[in-house]
Amino acid sequence: MDSTKCVRTFLDRDLPDIEFSDECEDEAEKFLCNPEAYHWQAVRLWEENNLPYEKYLLVFMPKQILNRLQMLIAPARKEINLIDGSHMSLQNLYRDTQEGVLLIEIEAHYFALSLVNKFRIEEFSYWSLASETDAAYFALTEIQKLKIPSQIYATGSGASKDAMDFLAGVIGVKVQPLSIPSQIALKCASKNPIKYLKALGCAIKAVNEF
């Protein structure tokens, strides 16, 4: 997701598909300097049913990268959906949770945070980073806007013990390294199964939705 850009937006409720697409294209033109260079996908976020709008995170991915990948997998006749292979795949690990879970992902060039509750995506934020040191600022800024849950997990190359201890010290809730949830039974010969968490999240979605 290094080259991905995201923006949160509010759209009228129950728009027809064509109007919805037009509204998203309009948001792209307002947000991006060169919208023609990006594909977009809309991620639905949860909001109260009595509100007149729907809340989305619009995710913009460079066409150059997607087209190159599409050429590589063309013989398999498959479509690429990088959203499912990104931070969102981690959310699938907690699709059956009955209480809020905050997921924090810190990588060298991006930071992502999402709050999942009963498989509702209540919050989802993403930023490109100039350096990993920016991640603590973004994390604290966003976490302090939320009703902080008791379960907070962090993953990624920048989710060091020092980083997790720092966040925990400020917000007053323990931040744990993301691992395979206890309700998931998995046999894995790898000495480091954590690096397969996104693949596992994709598999869980495939089993439940396709």
Side-chain angles (χ1 to χ4, degrees):
M1 290 185 71
D2 288 6
S3 302
T4 301
K5 300 179 185 295
C6 298
V7 65
R8 192 174 302 178
T9 189
F10 300 89
L11 303 177
D12 289 337
R13 188 174 292 277
D14 299 324
L15 285 175
D17 290 346
I18 294 178
E19 290 184 33
F20 178 83
S21 181
D22 288 344
E23 290 289 336
C24 291
E25 295 286 354
D26 185 56
E27 289 292 330
E29 291 180 4
K30 294 175 182 176
F31 179 65
L32 301 169
C33 295
N34 53 339
E36 70 283 352
Y38 289 82
H39 286 296
W40 60 266
Q41 283 186 247
V43 179
R44 179 72 183 272
L45 304 179
W46 181 81
E47 77 283 324
E48 297 288 348
N49 289 331
N50 60 347
L51 297 177
Y53 58 78
E54 295 173 346
K55 184 165 61 172
Y56 290 88
L57 185 74
L58 294 183
V59 184
F60 303 99
M61 296 160 288
K63 288 182 179 179
Q64 183 179 9
I65 295 175
L66 290 176
N67 291 343
R68 189 178 306 159
L69 291 173
Q70 192 64 61
M71 290 176 61
L72 292 174
I73 69 165
R77 298 181 180 179
K78 300 293 184 181
E79 294 294 327
I80 289 178
N81 185 342
L82 288 188
I83 292 293
D84 285 340
S86 67
H87 179 83
M88 288 194 70
S89 62
L90 300 177
Q91 297 165 356
N92 293 317
L93 299 173
Y94 294 92
R95 62 186 300 129
D96 295 324
T97 184
Q98 295 302 306
E99 56 185 319
V101 175
L102 185 63
L103 302 174
I104 300 170
E105 183 181 9
I106 305 173
E107 294 292 356
H109 302 295
Y110 72 87
F111 166 82
L113 174 150
S114 59
L115 176 61
V116 181
N117 192 349
K118 299 178 181 177
F119 202 60
R120 300 183 312 215
I121 305 174
E122 296 191 353
E123 295 292 339
F124 189 0
S125 301
Y126 169 91
W127 302 268
S128 296
L129 298 177
S131 67
E132 286 185 9
T133 56
D134 295 338
Y137 167 77
F138 286 121
L140 287 175
T141 300
E142 289 302 306
I143 291 173
Q144 290 171 343
K145 296 177 184 177
L146 306 175
K147 181 179 179 182
I148 301 174
S150 59
Q151 296 185 76
I152 303 178
Y153 300 100
T155 189
S157 61
S160 64
K161 184 178 184 303
D162 287 344
M164 290 188 286
D165 288 345
F166 169 73
L167 290 174
V170 176
I171 63 178
V173 177
K174 184 178 181 180
V175 180
Q176 305 176 70
L178 183 62
S179 59
I180 298 172
S182 58
Q183 67 268 28
I184 298 177
L186 178 68
K187 292 183 179 180
C188 181
S190 172
K191 295 181 179 180
N192 183 23
I194 303 305
K195 65 182 180 180
Y196 299 112
L197 284 175
K198 288 186 177 180
L200 178 59
C202 289
I204 291 172
K205 179 175 181 177
V207 167
N208 284 275
E209 298 186 15
F210 299 103

